[in-house]
Amino acid sequence: MRSRFEAFRDGDAVWLLASWHPSTRPASLDLSDNPTWRGLQIVETVAGGLGDKTGIVEFRATYLLPGGGVGIQHERSRFTRVDGRWHYVDAM
């Protein structure tokens, strides 16, 4: 999850698409309106350990709003392990 946050923060669409599960991956990702991401708080994790094939991460990510202020994206994301690597599936 932290690496996905960093990729969004850095505008790295190539890495984001590569880490997205093929069953839900968009054909392309336009980050031209990407906000300025400020921080990530992991709220809860469910599974996702060394022996798990799936996991869930609940997080809050903060970003700067146009004109000032801070916005929050609060989400529970599902991940699955493919060939030893975690892939984002979708938000719940």
Side-chain angles (χ1 to χ4, degrees):
M1 182 64 235
R2 290 186 196 288
S3 58
R4 280 186 61 81
F5 171 80
E6 291 171 3
F8 271 107
R9 183 196 63 205
D10 298 342
D12 190 349
V14 172
W15 191 93
L16 286 164
L17 288 170
S19 67
W20 215 304
H21 193 271
S23 68
T24 58
R25 179 181 346 173
S28 63
L29 191 59
D30 180 6
L31 297 177
S32 61
D33 289 335
N34 198 22
T36 301
W37 294 98
R38 302 298 295 172
L40 175 69
Q41 175 192 18
I42 304 298
V43 176
E44 179 184 28
T45 58
V46 178
L50 291 176
D52 295 321
K53 296 275 188 192
T54 63
I56 296 172
V57 177
E58 180 178 358
F59 70 91
R60 290 185 189 103
T62 55
Y63 57 92
L64 297 179
L65 293 169
V70 176
I72 299 175
Q73 179 175 342
H74 186 179
E75 182 178 304
R76 286 177 66 88
S77 298
R78 292 189 312 153
F79 292 84
T80 188
R81 192 187 314 253
V82 177
D83 296 329
R85 292 188 58 215
W86 288 104
H87 292 264
Y88 171 78
V89 177
D90 59 15
M92 304 170 58

